[in-house]
Amino acid sequence: MIKRVLYLSYYIRKLNRKMFKSFSAHVKKENSISSLSLYSDILRSSLKYNISILEYFQFHFINLNDKERNTFAGTGFMYEYQLLMNPKSTRFVLENKLIFLEKYGKFIKHKFCSLSNIEKNPDAANEVLKNKSGKIVLKSSDGQCGIGIEVRNTNEFTPEKLRQRLIETGNNMVEEFVVQHDDIMKISPSGLNTIRIITQLNSKDEVEILGARFRISVNSSVDNLAAGNIAAPIDENTGVVNGPGVYSDITKPDEIVHPITKEKILGFKIPFWSETLNLVKEAALSNKTNRSIGWDLAITNDGPDIIEGNHDWCKLLWQLPVKKGLKHDLEKYL
């Protein structure tokens, strides 16, 4: 119990109070429940199921019984699970983008270069500057959620100007701008819409797929749920989107068509699906020290391209699109 109280203390310290206020008002209005009853249930649920305060709302606990609530994997459970599957001593390969790109280089199609490489050999930058998209992405190797990223046209730079700009922006690497498949571009052109596939190595070191999700930007340059975007489930056998796009913001409705472009989401077939599955399975087997990875892939007109692998893959992105708890899918590996 002491451990659960410490988790609750952490959840309260990290709470997005503006979002909590919005979610609380929404649930009280929808369910005619008093503040006292709601807050008591939140505290009880956080201690009993080890979920964060916002997850109480995002998992829709207000409408679930105890048995149903117990099926959800919350922040505390996922932290301990991912720490066991991807220990701190090995997860650095997934935390640092440059180390990741070098380690998984044979699965990466887009060009990239580090600041240190450019400083040692300015010509190294030319490989990235000559890419066919005509754009580059400046970023930090340890950045997250798109923070600090800068997209620029290649014709603005020489190798020396690129070196200077990386230093000015506090970034330490540059990548080729990945152009997504024409069909995916129609759905949402504002950002790179990636596919999240979660792989798990079983006791026989075989790859099992825990889930596949289509991350779709909504008038945003990034595609993560936390930035107000949507995610939809993908049938791993067919590559077809088999559910609506959902937000992590419970006050917003599900989306069967894209809210901006009006293109169909439900029923969309991801191009190059079998090639995409084969790629992540090969990548997962290439380094077995990290056993549970959330892969982000771009689908281009030439096939799939791995963007990154996440050791702390998101439980919301995994569970919200399928509208059910999936904790039992992980417990069999413990």
Side-chain angles (χ1 to χ4, degrees), residues 184-243:
I184 295 177
M185 186 73 84
K186 287 179 185 174
I187 292 178
S188 179
S190 62
L192 181 64
N193 307 290
T194 59
I195 309 300
R196 166 66 59 85
I197 299 177
I198 304 162
T199 59
Q200 173 73 47
L201 295 181
N202 62 24
S203 59
K204 297 178 181 177
D205 281 346
E206 298 166 332
V207 181
E208 296 184 5
I209 304 295
L210 293 179
R213 309 287 181 257
F214 187 19
R215 309 203 307 174
I216 307 165
S217 59
V218 180
N219 204 23
S220 170
S221 59
V222 296
D223 64 355
N224 51 312
L225 280 174
N229 299 298
I230 54 180
I234 301 170
D235 183 328
E236 69 178 71
N237 295 313
T238 63
V240 174
V241 175
N242 58 0

Side-chain angles (χ1 to χ4, degrees), residues 62-78:
I62 192 71
N63 300 318
L64 304 181
N65 59 36
D66 281 353
K67 185 178 179 181
E68 292 167 329
R69 291 179 176 191
N70 196 40
T71 64
F72 280 87
T75 292
F77 176 86
M78 291 302 294

